[in-house]
Structure formats: C-alpha cells, structure tokens
Amino acid sequence: MAGTIETYGRKIEDLARAQGLDFYPVQFEEVPDSFMMEVAVYGLPVRMPHWSFGVRYIYQLIQHRMGHSRLFEVVFPGNPGRAYLAKGNSVQENTLVVAHVLGHADFSKHNELFRRSQQEVGYRIVDQAAGHARQIAAAMEEHGQERVEQILDAALALEAHIDAFKGLRRERYPEFVEEQLIDDDTFRQRFHRLPGDERPAPQHEPKKRASLPLQPERDLLWFIAQYAPDLEGWERDIFLAVREESFYFYPVFACQIMNEGWASYWHARLLREADFIPQNEYLDAIKTHSDVVRPHAADRQASLSINPYHLGFCMWESIIDNLGMEKAMQIRAQDDDFGFIRNYLTAELAEELKLFRYKASNDGAVEVVDREINALRDAILAPKYSFGAPAIAVRHVEADGTLHLVHEHGTDGRGLDFKRSEKVLDYLHRVWRRPVKLDTVDARGEGRTLRTPAE
Amino acid sequence: MEHPSTFAGCREADQDWYDLFSRGARDWLRHNEKVRRAVRDKLPEVLANADVLGGDRSRTVKVPVRFLEHCRFRLRDADEMLGAGQGDVKPGDQLAAPGQQQGDDQGEGGNNEGGVQLLLELKIDDIVEWLWEELQLPNLQSKTGATQDDDYRREGWSRRGVRSRLDRRRSLKESLKRRAVDPDGPAFTDEDLRFRQLVMRRQPATQAVVFFAMDVSSSMRDRDRQLAKTFFFWVVEGLRRQYARLELVFIAHTVKAWEFDESEFFQVRGSGGTVASSAFSLVRDTIAGRYDPARYNIYLFYGSDGENFKDDHEAAEASLREIATLASFVGYVETPATEERALDSETGGIFRTVADEGRAVGSYALTTNESVWDAIRAFFREHVAAEAG
C-alpha cells in the first residue's frame, strides 16, 4: 500500500537533516492547479492587482491548456517557509517535491544573498505581499482605480530597476556637501604633520547644495519615491511596496541556477537514500526527476536555451564529487549565479554537457558559433544582470524639475527600443509630473534623447 | 537530535480562500476593460475595419484587437543575438535557416503574443452610445408635427372599469380620505375604487421607414458597395434609437429598379447603365402604396458612384424633389473614383439642386474607410439640425 505524503514527508525531512541540510520550518499546503498557475504569473500567492498580470495570466492559461507547462511546486523562503504542492500530483511526485523544497529551504537559509534580502525585506514575504495587496486595494477604494493604476503602471514598469547592493533601506542624500578637502585621507594628513611643512588650518567654505543625485542613481524606484516633486504619501507607499517586492525577487532571480540545481541535487539524493519508499514508487518518483532535469525536449537534437535545473544539478554533482560536501556547502552560502558559473562551470563540464554558443540573426538564421568556455559563461550570464533589464540611471534633476535619465548603452552594447521606452517615459511622466528625458543611442550608435512630453 | 517537526503536514480545505476568486481573472477583466476603452478612443478605425454587417442580425460586433502591452525599458532588437544552448552540435552547424521561425523554446511566454488574438465583442448599442457621446449630440426626440398616430393612452381615473385597470394606490387614498371624515366607516366601499381610464389621442409617430437605394450598375465596385453598406448600417443603428419601429426597404437599380430583401440587397449585381429616376420613382410609389407620410417618418439614402444618364436629369430631379417634400431626411452617399472629384458629379448635382431649395438633404462622399466615419458624423449632425429646424 502506498504511503501518504504526510508519512513520507516527515521521513524525508528527518533524512534531510541527517544529511546535513538545515532549514527553517516549512508550511506545506496542497492547492489546486489554478492556484499554482496564478502563483507562477504573479510570483507570489497574493499580489497587488494590475491589468498586466491579467495578460500574463491568459498566456499562462493558454499554455497550460496546451500542455506546455506543468508546475510541480512553488516555494517561498522565510521563517517559516511556505510551499505549495499541486493537488493533482501523485504521492510519488509530491514526495519528490517535498525533498526538492527542503533543498530550497536549506539554500535560502544559508545563501548570503537570500539571508540579506530576508533580513531587509522580512521573513514572511507571502503575508507581506498580501499586505501590500490590501493596502493597494484600499488606495483604490479611496483614490479611484485610475489613479492607483497610474502609479502601478510606472512602478511595475521599473520593477527591475533597483540597486540590490545599496540595500532596501537607504537614507536620502545629504542636502549639502562639504567642499571636498583633498587632505581628507590619513596619509596626506600625516604627510602634512611632518616637521617643517606647516600648512594653514583648513578654511571652512560655505556649505554647497548637493546636486541631485550625487552620483548616477540606478535605483529608479527609490529615487522617484524619494524625490518626485509632487508625489503624495500614499503614492510613495505604492512605489515602495513594489520596490520591496523587487528586493525579495532579486536573490530568487540571481541565484536561479544554483538554487534549482541545489534543490534538484538534494531531491535526487534524498530519494535515492529513502529506503522507506517501495521500489516501484521510487521509480515513479525518479522518472519525475528526469523529466524535470532533462537538458531539452527528447525529440530535439539541441535546445536554444539551457535548463537551469539540469545545468545546476550537473554542476553541483561535479562540485560535490570533486571538492567535497563541505566546500559545496560553503559555495551555496557565499556565491550567486555569477560567481557560481564563472568559478565552477569548467571547460570539461561544459563539454560533457554539450553546451554551445549560437548566433541568431534577425532573419531567422541560427548558427552554432563555438564552445569556448569564457564566451559561453558570458552568454549564460548576460541575460542575468540586474533582472536582465537595461542599465538606466538618473543623471540629474534639472532646475525646472526635469528628470534626466541616462541609458548606459556602453554596458549594454546597444541602444534602447524607442517605442517601448517612450511608453515607459509616459508612465513616469504621470508620476514625476515634470518633463522626463532619457539619453540613449539609435541603431547606428548616434546619441538620441527621448522626451516626454515631446517637444 | 530532537527537533520540532518541520513537516507540519499538508493543510487543505480549511484554507481554500483562494478558491473564492481568481486574481488572474480579475486582472484579465480589467485588461479587457482598458482594451474596450482604447477601442472606443479609436472607434472610427474599428468601425471601418469591422465587418459590421455580418449575415446574422446579432446585436454585437466582433473586433479583433491586440493585447495591451505593459512596456518596460528594453534593448532594441539586435541584428544578431548571441545565446547559450545545449545539444549535440558542432560549431558551424545551422540550427535554423533564414526565414524560418525559431522554435518555441525561446525563453518563456513573456510578452510574446504567440499567435493569440483577442476577439472583443462590442454591443452595437454601446457603440452607438459612444458615437453619441463623441458627437455630443442630444438624444433625438420623436418629432411631433405632420406625422401622427392614433393610439390609446392613460389619462385620468374613472369610478368604473375592469378589474385589471384597478389603481390600488389611488383607491386606498380615496378610502383614507373618506375614513378621515367618517372614522367608523368600512375599510373599503365600491365608492373608493378608482380605475385607470384610457382615451384615444393623437400621438407623435414613433415609426419610421428607411429606404436604401443603390446603384448596382457595372460601374459600382465591391469596395463601393462595402463603403455604402457600412454607412447604411450605422445610420440604421442611429435611427433605431429614435423610433420604436423601424422598417427598412431596399431598392437596387440599373436602368430599372427592383425591391430586394436585405440579405440579397448587398449581393445584387447588375449590368448596363444608370437611370436614377427609376429608383426614385419606385421609392415614391412605395411610399404612396405602403407608407402614409402622415404616420411614418420617411428617410431615403441613395448610394451611387455619381454617374447617371444625362437624359434622366429632369426626371430624376423631379421625383427626388417629390420625395424630399415627404421625407424627414434624404441622404446621398457617393463613392467617387477619386477624392478630388467627389460630389462634383451628375447625381451629386441633382441632390445639390434639391438641397438648395431648402430641403433636408445631405450629401456625403465615401472614399476611404475613415471617410465613412466622417459621413456618419456629418449625417447625424445635419439630421439633428434638421430636426431642430
């Protein structure tokens, strides 16, 4: 007789702890497929309302109906963690999912990026996001759907534009700057104290108003929330709510390969060692495993994308085989995907996994370029920097209040899509309430400034 | 080592709050509402492009629309993109040839529309409502005047009548009045009862007949018919707001004129020349035979490419004049070959002459889909002006 998910779940958990995994408690909940699908769309079980989620929802619904995607689990880090299992799954599938979730739970408790994010954002993101949703629903009640939507149009469009390294809670810039004294640094001070080199006491210059921002500012959500000239309190709160969720999403995004790989490694290992699961059920579960971590659809010769579960899984296996479990635990605590891929995706492993770099022309032609390891790492990581969004910073707020943005096209290698960018500037303009302009380059690399309102 | 159990078990049932509503569906409906509004802002294009005159008389139009895109900053598409893949290939291999669409494992759903199109169903009544708002026209009033109907209407109360017309409220009032004077009297007596009374009165006519006449001679192209058809359709929908009953008569002509039913009318294809008076005479005779001008508001719309036999000039003008004296409004829609020569035609001249005599006659040139919209707008403005005058 097949065991229940409860009995298997507890045993898997004991096994995981015995193997050295360490995690906060996880609350599991079985939910219908429709719920799983919504979580995939919103990224969180209850999230603020916005029409753009409706569009994604319909695509997801269509894909789901056509059988393109199947969602086994979603897990939210925290203390306690939350995990949702699809009700339609078999016991074997869910046993595997529980093992997988515990891998994630261990990862998110120990990984530095996750730890910092949870310290800042909090350990109950599911409840916090639901709180934001309520807050926004209340704002709609009070200020009308249109006005709230206007704020969300802008804030959600800038979702990716945070500066994860400057942190969630930041002070406003100082209003005045001291005149920069050259002999600020200790070496110069000591030099000047040498005998015979008396120098006049530094004169205190009048304070100078700081330019805004002091340096180019990448955290657009923060900057607008802090410095938009006419933003009301409740509007600022919405901006900050969106920003907080972005800070929550950042480690999930920046550690995807590591995290999914780690969870896949552990579900495979825990199942292998779970002698309480009958042989036939084990085979069913392991079949699910190979479906999840297969490199690409079986009927295809090659895939133009890399399955992060498969890549991560193979990398962790190789790390644990070659460097040992202790080192692996250390890597999962300290790295993100950038360090992980650069340091541990070796040429041999890449060859074994048959990774390649390709070139896709806009006429539809796709050609395999090479298997050179450094180029390959770059190609894997390129779409991962700051949520894969273009590098845009606030350059300056002009005397008339104009918000001057700049696209660092050198970093991105090419200019922006004008049509979409202008639309985003429109969203911003309705929130900034002064002119907004953005420097970028056109197809030939010539400078181009987009403005709203157009001149 | 002892530790509190993590695996708290799978809760279910007690927490199925998420079953109560779907957030996805809610946001999807909001998206559709926004699309609807966007469509409304671009009504002319929608009207022009939608095939509003589908065979069935369903009261909705289906308009294909694109999903709204919530834009983000994005890099422009590069001529060449580099990516990482996995599989059994070697450098130099062609995975796809130019012109071939790439496989569906290119990233996730994202903003790619994936061939999905939204078919928005708009109620024709809503469109007409928007149209009215956009034109800022008052709602058309039934006109009083020449056209009258005799009909019963309620007027006053009687002490006698059939039970179905008993006015309980009024009767109770009478009872209260009586008992105020005589508190000990019975609750109801026959004297308290009041019945609604009907009388025959003349009333403004609420029925109308619309004649659509069209030149179907060989010079009328499919495009011309389509333009005329779209125009006719919206005119009818506008007039339906005004009249409780609207009858339509379809007449096609070449050198002779015939009456058709609606389904055939737009398919009719004739050959040979154009004698407009044949159609006008048939309209005039039909009015005389079936639609008493005292009881019907009469409209005539005539569609043509503007060509007419020179010899027919006087006959056409005379019969048109006769109709114009009877009709509430006469409209002429011309589908000229070129925009420059619009309405400067033989037929255009006839209508202009009659209009100059102070009749409610309007002429409209239909050259493009957009001009249909202008014509509809112009028609309703003039029509309202004619009503007011």
Side-chain angles (χ1 to χ4, degrees), chain A residues 174-192:
Chain A
E175 207 155 325
F176 298 96
V177 277
E178 300 285 345
E179 198 59 41
Q180 196 76 42
L181 293 175
I182 296 174
D183 45 40
D184 250 6
D185 76 278
T186 48
F187 175 77
R188 277 175 207 269
Q189 282 168 1
R190 281 164 58 209
F191 180 79
H192 283 301

Side-chain angles (χ1 to χ4, degrees), chain A residues 17 38 42 149 363 371 420, chain B residues 6 27 30 69 89 99:
Chain A
R17 289 200 195 266
E38 289 197 342
Y42 287 78
E149 221 164 51
D363 63 3
R371 296 181 179 279
R420 291 191 175 83
Chain B
T6 300
D27 288 347
R30 177 60 186 157
E69 183 183 343
V89 293

